[in-house]
Amino acid sequence: MSQLPNLFSQLVYDLVARIPEGRVITYGRIARSIGYPNNARRVGNAMRHTPDDLFLPTWRVVNAEGRTAPGWDDQRRLLELEGVPFNEKGRVDLNHCLWSPDEDDNR
DNA sequence: TTTATGACCTGAG
DNA sequence: ACTCAGGCCATAA
């Protein structure tokens, strides 16, 4: 019943919470950044089960090709509202919108 | 216990 | 640029 998050999920959620508006990050980069380099799929799974009461910007997480989550068409619209551009193939331009956590190492 | 599945990634061709 | 196999790991069946 209660889905209390393990350490891995906590690290993922804490990072997702920091993604700035108008920027995106990939599953694989999240995994690397929190010290689990081979766990991109796990990140995706964590995203799929993100508790609603955390109000995380999960729409700012895309895959390494800049594609949005399968079956979640509104994700594109949400990103576009923030000014994230999509190319003609329906993918975000990672070279321009990809966010790196080290970018604001004000820890 | 084994097999299939998933909001994934990378390298080869 | 695209397809595909192989790798990855937790979870569901």
Side-chain angles (χ1 to χ4, degrees), chain A residues 42-62:
Chain A
R42 247 178 119 184
V43 173
N45 211 289
M47 284 298 93
R48 192 161 57 87
H49 299 111
T50 303
D52 294 354
D53 55 329
L54 293 183
F55 297 101
L56 295 178
T58 63
W59 61 88
R60 296 177 187 148
V61 182
V62 299

Side-chain angles (χ1 to χ4, degrees), chain A residues 46-97:
Chain A
M47 284 298 93
R48 192 161 57 87
H49 299 111
T50 303
D52 294 354
D53 55 329
L54 293 183
F55 297 101
L56 295 178
T58 63
W59 61 88
R60 296 177 187 148
V61 182
V62 299
N63 73 15
E65 297 180 331
R67 303 213 0 64
T68 56
W72 187 20
D73 296 347
D74 278 348
Q75 183 179 11
R76 172 172 183 165
R77 195 180 51 78
L78 287 167
L79 286 171
E80 287 175 331
L81 286 178
E82 300 185 340
V84 175
F86 281 71
N87 65 24
E88 58 286 346
K89 306 205 165 163
R91 307 190 297 168
V92 307
D93 181 5
L94 292 177
N95 290 323
H96 198 266
C97 295

